[in-house]
Amino acid sequence: NAGVTQTPKFQVLKTGQSMTLQCAQDMNHEYMSWYRQDPGMGLRLIHYSVGAGITDQGEVPNGYNVSRSTTEDFPLRLLSAAPSQTSVYFCASSYSRDRGYEQYFGPGTRLTVT
Amino acid sequence: GESVGLHLPTLSVQEGDNSIINCAYSNSASDYFIWYKQESGKGPQFIIDIRSNMDKRQGQRVTVLLNKTVKHLSLQIAATQPGDSAVYFCAEKADYQLIWGAGTKLIIKP
């Protein structure tokens, strides 16, 4: 199994541009989530999904959209990039919504917005 | 709002000694508390969890202690090794979300 994969690894955007960060898992996990991690800080939840077709907001959802059309994929869309969105983005998955605390993380996408 | 935080941002430990990483939490309704390890340039990795109705749980070389009276969580690593160098995060489960602390960097001295 590849586990949780994320693309791209690095991305530079100009203010106002939009883009999609890709996340996929091949473990048939029900629960998926997106976090951002700013330097020297813990992770903050952006959006999460407890199953295909179901998404919900986390702590910092503004400026981001998600969809979950399949179990495997959970893309994160930045609608109009801002410098405040410069961060490292992690996608994670877990077996079920009830075990959503035992998460498997992808390698991260380092995003810079100029 | 509810929050999870850590007492020490950096912990320096001699190789072979035991490490103790501490964490304070404020949400009494959380049903699970979790420790994650994050090595440089990688995503966090699950270490161990403890349910809110337990006081202690042991894993391989790690022990987590939960003191609900003072809302305190700790991670003990026995016989610390160079491979234990990382940032350690505590997190608490609230509904379907994890709330993360800021992290403690563990440095191993040779």
Side-chain angles (χ1 to χ4, degrees):
Chain A
N1 287 348
V4 180
T5 57
Q6 292 182 238
T7 56
K9 282 188 167 25
F10 300 93
Q11 183 69 50
V12 179
L13 291 177
K14 289 184 171 17
T15 297
Q17 288 184 315
S18 62
M19 80 158 294
T20 299
L21 307 186
Q22 301 292 343
C23 175
Q25 51 90 11
D26 61 359
M27 298 174 283
N28 200 32
H29 281 177
E30 183 178 74
Y31 182 99
M32 296 186 75
S33 56
W34 274 103
Y35 293 91
R36 61 176 288 171
Q37 184 175 32
D38 299 315
M41 295 181 66
L43 280 71
R44 290 186 292 169
L45 183 65
I46 304 171
H47 286 284
Y48 66 98
S49 169
V50 298
I54 307 169
T55 63
D56 209 341
Q57 296 182 348
E59 181 186 356
V60 288
N62 292 341
Y64 308 95
N65 274 356
V66 292
S67 60
R68 184 98 180 267
S69 55
T70 67
T71 299
E72 294 78 20
D73 301 298
F74 191 44
L76 177 73
R77 278 182 287 279
L78 277 71
L79 309 172
S80 177
S84 61
Q85 293 179 306
T86 294
S87 191
V88 180
Y89 290 84
F90 289 102
C91 178
S93 72
S94 68
Y95 178 68
S96 72
R97 65 185 73 185
D98 294 324
R99 291 194 68 83
Y101 56 90
E102 185 178 351
Q103 299 188 14
Y104 295 80
F105 282 80
T109 294
R110 187 174 296 273
L111 176 68
T112 301
V113 183
T114 61
Chain B
E2 306 285 1
S3 66
V4 174
L6 292 171
H7 294 304
L8 298 172
T10 302
L11 178 64
S12 194
V13 175
Q14 201 74 38
E15 182 179 347
D17 287 352
N18 296 338
S19 302
I20 300 175
I21 302 170
N22 296 304
C23 177
Y25 68 91
S26 58
N27 186 353
S28 302
S30 295
D31 55 351
Y32 279 94
F33 299 89
I34 311 98
W35 284 99
Y36 277 84
K37 172 186 180 182
Q38 186 177 26
E39 296 176 273
S40 182
K42 296 183 179 179
Q45 181 180 10
F46 175 88
I47 301 173
I48 192 168
D49 65 88
I50 186 167
R51 202 164 182 167
S52 59
N53 62 356
M54 299 172 66
D55 298 322
K56 179 179 180 179
R57 187 163 187 224
Q58 288 185 294
Q60 189 175 13
R61 273 203 313 120
V62 295
T63 301
V64 57
L65 299 177
L66 177 63
N67 185 331
K68 293 180 285 294
T69 302
V70 294
K71 296 182 182 175
H72 184 267
L73 187 69
S74 69
L75 177 71
Q76 300 179 3
I77 304 173
T80 310
Q81 303 168 357
D84 295 326
S85 290
V87 177
Y88 289 81
F89 293 96
C90 65
E92 57 179 320
K93 178 176 171 287
D95 295 325
Y96 298 131
Q97 303 186 30
L98 285 185
I99 302 171
W100 295 68
T104 293
K105 184 172 184 179
L106 181 62
I107 297 170
I108 314 302
K109 296 183 287 187

